[in-house]
Amino acid sequence: MYILYPRNIGTSDRADEINYTSMADDLARFMNEHKIHTATLGGHGLGGKLALASASYHFEKVTGVIALDTAPLNQCYIEAFKELGGYLEALRHIDINRSLTAINA
């Protein structure tokens, strides 16, 4: 189990700015470097928003989110997550064999 505490926010050598996109990318990079394929992310306040942003931008790495005392994220994250859910649901209903036959015809 990894528990991460932000100690020096803004002192990363990887980004010139602080925003949820770059912080989510930093977290995904950390997971890759430590061979963490998937994780449930949790956070409080800013950490909760980072967990939600990471789930939006790197959904393949996140199995769940625990966000405590976190104000809602910008609506763009929520809409992107809903859109992703719609795509995944549509993919579940594709008949692969029928689709491959139609392509080859």
Side-chain angles (χ1 to χ4, degrees):
M1 172 191 286
Y2 284 92
I3 299 176
L4 305 176
Y5 296 100
R7 294 177 188 217
N8 298 312
I9 295 175
T11 61
S12 171
D13 61 346
R14 301 182 191 263
D16 294 330
E17 59 187 356
I18 298 174
N19 59 51
Y20 290 111
T21 305
S22 62
M23 289 189 292
D25 290 345
D26 278 347
L27 181 55
R29 195 172 13 259
F30 174 88
M31 290 175 70
N32 289 336
E33 289 171 0
H34 290 85
K35 296 180 176 41
I36 303 169
H37 303 290
T38 59
T40 298
L41 304 178
H44 176 268
L46 172 69
K49 286 186 178 185
L50 174 57
L52 290 168
S54 296
S56 294
Y57 288 121
H58 301 284
F59 57 88
E60 73 283 358
K61 295 185 165 301
V62 180
T63 56
V65 172
I66 301 167
L68 303 172
D69 196 22
T70 302
L73 281 173
N74 184 317
Q75 186 65 22
C76 69
Y77 296 113
I78 296 165
E79 291 303 317
F81 220 55
K82 286 181 184 176
E83 184 178 357
L84 171 65
Y87 291 140
L88 293 176
E89 186 60 30
L91 287 172
R92 285 188 191 113
H93 294 20
I94 292 176
D95 180 352
I96 299 287
N97 293 327
R98 189 174 136 216
S99 298
L100 292 175
T101 303
I103 291 171
N104 292 329

